[in-house]
């Protein structure tokens, strides 16, 4: 992991590191499909108008332009032209493209539509561990037509808790809040620019309570009392439903607040039963993007909080629409590259070998190459990943080649057609039949094992 990247912010894994990433991706895919989520993939490019219509993310978007050779110089566009909504840019997340996908394909989808999407995204951020310019996200969403029962908010949180629990990562916490709760509370204390308050509260962990209070007073006109109450709400954090009484003890009355309290109580109540110890009610969570309307989630690794959120998202009731037709949804996004970077840098998991190959078929002579291919075909036919040596070098060199590649077994055939296989790790060699021989289960496939 100490390698120097030729282009900062665009990670490229070595083969053994890629195997760890594939294990993470396969685990997520399997979990999502077990819960009935269908896989889709959207194009990498969206129009600027589509990408920038919600939230303040324009500085992170990579605009696209062709090299204009006929004009004598390359185009130098680094940010999209916001004046041209039809200009093209790379998507910065998978939620906005998914909203467009739902609108365009609504006539072909069965609602509620459950989808997962694992894809690259691009964001013009300052590269550091946990933040890259090109990275992989894994999203799950449920979208309804006209309405979407709140129970899906609960289900999404439980599915993500199950998926993360299956990964080779440290313990984690889903920190959950509800925008209705927060907005109703702010409205109840007389702060009408609730979106502005949320954006300020979202900076709490970065700049601290004192500076957030100053922002609330200087930019939103909050009094000392209002700023104090807003910050007092943000300090409430419980692992059960006791947050409800703590909020009500602040003495604020508002219908939207009560609706948000009820919704968050349902999520936490279900999590206490089905994912104990994995979910907390954290009323400091705000989420900066404007399209969230209810449940909001951020997830941290315990002991690795400085890495930031490794999974986030929430409820959005108005992101996707077609005329008067609304498609409310709820979803969460896992930062796969952020997770894999931490897994690799902390050696939390390793691959059992650096290549999929389990067997190298050695050559007695160059004339034996065709017969060696027949042996390899028999082994592959039973699911054993096999390579054939390219040259009939001394057996010692062929064994060293296998060792250097990380291949555990070397297959030998003598001039009389007798077969033997050598485990080059232990040195043991035994007779073998290409029609029936199979390595031990732990050697058949590459295994990703958790440290400790």
């Amino acid at each position: 992991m100490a390698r120097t990247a030729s282009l900062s912010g665009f990670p490229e894994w070595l083969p053994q590191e890629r195997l760890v990433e594939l294990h993470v991706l396969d685990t997520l895919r399997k979990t999502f499909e077990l819960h009935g989520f269908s896989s889709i993939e959207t194009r990498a490019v969206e129009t600027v108008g589509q990408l920038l219509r919600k939230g303040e993310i324009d500085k992170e978007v990579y605009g696209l332009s062709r090299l204009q050779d006929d004009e004598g110089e390359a185009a130098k566009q680094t940010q999209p032209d916001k004046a041209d909504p039809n200009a093209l840019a790379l998507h910065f997340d998978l939620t906005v493209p998914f909203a467009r996908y739902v609108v365009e394909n609504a006539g072909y989808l069965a609602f509620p539509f459950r989808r997962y999407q694992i894809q690259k995204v691009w964001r013009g951020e300052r590269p550091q561990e946990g933040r890259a310019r090109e990275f992989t996200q894994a999203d799950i969403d449920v979208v309804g037509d006209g309405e979407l029962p709140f129970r899906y908010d609960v289900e999404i949180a439980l599915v993500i808790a199950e998926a993360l629990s299956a990964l080779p990562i440290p313990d984690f916490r889903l920190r959950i809040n509800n925008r209705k709760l927060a907005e109703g509370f702010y409205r109840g204390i007389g702060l009408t620019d609730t979106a502005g308050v949320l954006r300020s509260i979202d900076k709490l962990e970065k700049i601290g309570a004192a500076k957030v209070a100053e922002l609330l007073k200087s930019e939103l006109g909050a009094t000392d009392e209002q700023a104090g109450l807003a910050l007092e709400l943000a300090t409430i954090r419980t692992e059960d439903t006791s947050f409800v009484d703590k909020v009500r003890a602040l003495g604020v009355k508002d219908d939207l607040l009560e609706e948000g309290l009820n919704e968050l109580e349902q999520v936490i109540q279900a999590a206490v039963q089905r994912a104990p110890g994995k979910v907390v009610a954290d009323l400091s969570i705000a989420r900066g993007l404007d399209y969230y309307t209810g449940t909001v989630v951020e997830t941290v690794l315990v002991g690795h909080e400085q890495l930031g959120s490794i999974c986030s998202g929430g409820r959005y009731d108005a992101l996707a629409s077609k005329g008067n037709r609304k498609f409310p949804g709820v979803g969460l996004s896992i930062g796969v590259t952020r997770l894999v970077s931490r897994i690799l840098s902390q050696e939390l998991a390793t691959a059992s070998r650096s290549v999929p190959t389990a067997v190298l078929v050695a050559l007695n002579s160059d004339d034996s190459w065709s017969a060696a291919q027949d042996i390899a075909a028999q082994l592959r036919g039973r699911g054993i990943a096999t390579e054939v040596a390219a040259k009939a070098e001394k057996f010692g060199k062929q064994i060293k080649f296998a060792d250097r590649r990380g291949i555990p077994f070397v297959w030998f055939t003598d001039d009389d057609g007798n077969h033997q296989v050598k485990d080059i790790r232990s040195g043991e060699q035994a007779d073998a039949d290409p029609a029936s021989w199979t390595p031990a289960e732990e050697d058949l496939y590459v295994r990703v094992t958790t440290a400790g």
Side-chain angles (χ1 to χ4, degrees):
M1 292 304 297
R3 290 174 290 117
T4 301
S6 60
L7 192 58
S8 180
F10 297 85
E12 294 177 329
W13 308 127
L14 291 173
Q16 59 268 37
E17 296 169 337
R18 172 63 173 163
L19 288 168
V20 173
E21 182 182 42
L22 287 174
H23 171 76
V24 170
L25 295 174
D26 288 344
T27 301
L28 294 176
R29 177 188 55 77
K30 180 180 179 181
T31 304
F32 297 159
E33 290 182 357
L34 282 172
H35 286 269
F37 289 83
S38 300
S39 176
I40 69 163
E41 184 170 295
T42 59
R43 64 197 185 212
V45 174
E46 300 288 341
T47 64
V48 169
Q50 181 73 21
L51 289 173
L52 302 188
R53 66 192 185 92
K54 291 283 184 180
E56 297 179 349
I57 39 64
D58 54 290
K59 292 181 180 179
E60 297 181 352
V61 175
Y62 277 114
L64 289 185
S65 60
R66 294 195 308 165
L67 296 176
Q68 303 296 321
D69 292 337
D70 55 333
E71 295 181 6
E73 64 174 355
K76 295 182 175 63
Q77 181 178 347
T78 57
Q79 285 186 227
D81 181 1
K82 289 185 283 185
D84 180 6
N86 295 316
L88 300 179
L90 295 171
H91 58 222
F92 62 87
D93 75 355
L94 300 179
T95 302
V96 174
F98 176 56
R100 184 226 3 116
Y101 177 94
V102 168
V103 170
E104 292 181 357
N105 295 284
Y108 305 96
L109 302 176
F111 293 96
F113 178 50
R114 304 162 70 92
R115 87 81 162 88
Y116 78 89
Q117 188 171 349
I118 301 176
Q119 233 174 303
K120 295 277 191 182
V121 299
W122 295 266
R123 212 173 278 182
E125 299 190 284
R126 183 174 66 85
Q128 54 187 299
E129 186 181 9
R131 291 190 180 274
R133 292 174 174 174
E134 178 184 70
F135 53 99
T136 300
Q137 286 188 335
D139 287 21
I140 57 170
D141 288 78
V142 181
V143 172
D145 186 356
E147 64 176 4
L148 184 70
F150 176 75
R151 185 155 287 169
Y152 287 111
D153 290 42
V154 182
E155 183 184 0
I156 284 283
L158 296 177
V159 172
I160 286 293
E162 181 180 327
L164 293 176
S165 295
L167 298 180
I169 59 175
D171 198 11
F172 61 90
R173 294 291 182 274
L174 270 70
R175 303 164 62 190
I176 306 181
N177 194 8
N178 190 290
R179 290 283 278 259
K180 294 177 185 176
L181 187 164
E183 291 181 18
F185 185 90
Y186 304 147
R187 198 169 66 181
I189 62 175
L191 294 176
T192 56
D193 184 2
T194 56
V197 179
L198 283 166
R199 282 193 291 271
S200 296
I201 294 294
D202 197 37
K203 301 173 183 177
L204 186 59
E205 291 187 353
K206 293 181 180 179
I207 65 176
K211 290 185 178 179
V212 169
E214 287 302 315
L215 282 177
L216 292 173
K217 290 185 283 187
S218 63
E219 296 185 1
L220 300 169
T223 64
D224 287 338
E225 182 181 4
Q226 289 171 325
L229 282 168
L231 286 169
E232 196 169 350
L233 179 74
T235 63
I236 295 175
R237 182 174 182 176
T238 69
E239 295 186 358
D240 53 26
T241 57
S242 61
F243 71 90
V244 176
D245 291 335
K246 292 179 182 293
V247 173
R248 288 187 176 141
L250 297 177
V252 178
K253 303 291 184 182
D254 185 88
D255 290 342
L256 188 62
L257 167 61
E258 288 299 319
E259 186 179 342
L261 273 173
N262 178 261
E263 290 184 354
L264 184 56
E265 184 178 26
Q266 291 182 57
V267 175
I268 300 302
Q269 197 167 47
V272 167
Q273 178 183 357
R274 301 193 175 277
K278 300 301 184 185
V279 174
V280 297
D282 187 337
L283 276 54
S284 69
I285 300 302
R287 300 293 299 146
L289 293 173
D290 291 341
Y291 52 68
Y292 293 112
T293 56
T295 303
V296 285
V297 181
E298 289 191 356
T299 309
V300 294
L301 296 179
V302 176
H304 302 259
E305 289 81 2
Q306 75 280 5
L307 185 65
S309 179
I310 52 98
C311 173
S312 59
R315 177 79 174 217
Y316 48 91
D317 286 329
L319 184 63
S321 61
K322 188 175 185 179
N324 294 326
R325 192 176 178 187
K326 303 291 185 183
F327 301 96
V330 60
L332 289 172
S333 175
I334 297 174
V336 174
T337 301
R338 178 174 291 191
L339 268 180
V340 172
S341 295
R342 183 50 58 105
I343 290 170
L344 296 175
S345 67
Q346 301 293 312
E347 297 183 346
L348 299 173
T350 56
S352 58
R353 58 180 183 263
S354 59
V355 294
T357 311
V359 178
L360 174 72
V361 181
L363 297 182
N364 281 346
S365 67
D366 287 331
D367 292 338
S368 66
W369 185 84
S370 181
Q373 289 289 350
D374 291 338
I375 295 168
Q378 285 183 280
L379 295 174
R380 292 177 192 134
R382 298 200 313 284
I384 304 170
T386 306
E387 293 181 29
V388 174
K391 293 190 297 183
E393 298 180 299
K394 292 181 179 179
F395 284 146
K397 285 190 174 181
Q398 295 186 66
I399 290 172
K400 285 183 179 179
F401 172 81
D403 187 39
R404 190 168 64 250
R405 292 266 292 143
I407 301 170
F409 298 98
V410 178
W411 191 281
F412 300 102
T413 305
D414 63 25
D415 294 335
D416 296 326
N418 299 310
H419 303 282
Q420 288 195 324
V421 65
K422 182 183 185 71
D423 185 336
I424 64 174
R425 298 162 301 180
S426 66
E428 295 180 1
Q429 188 165 324
D431 294 336
D433 182 349
S436 60
W437 179 86
T438 300
E441 181 69 20
E442 62 268 20
D443 294 323
L444 183 56
Y445 307 108
V446 175
R447 301 290 177 181
V448 173
T449 55
T450 305

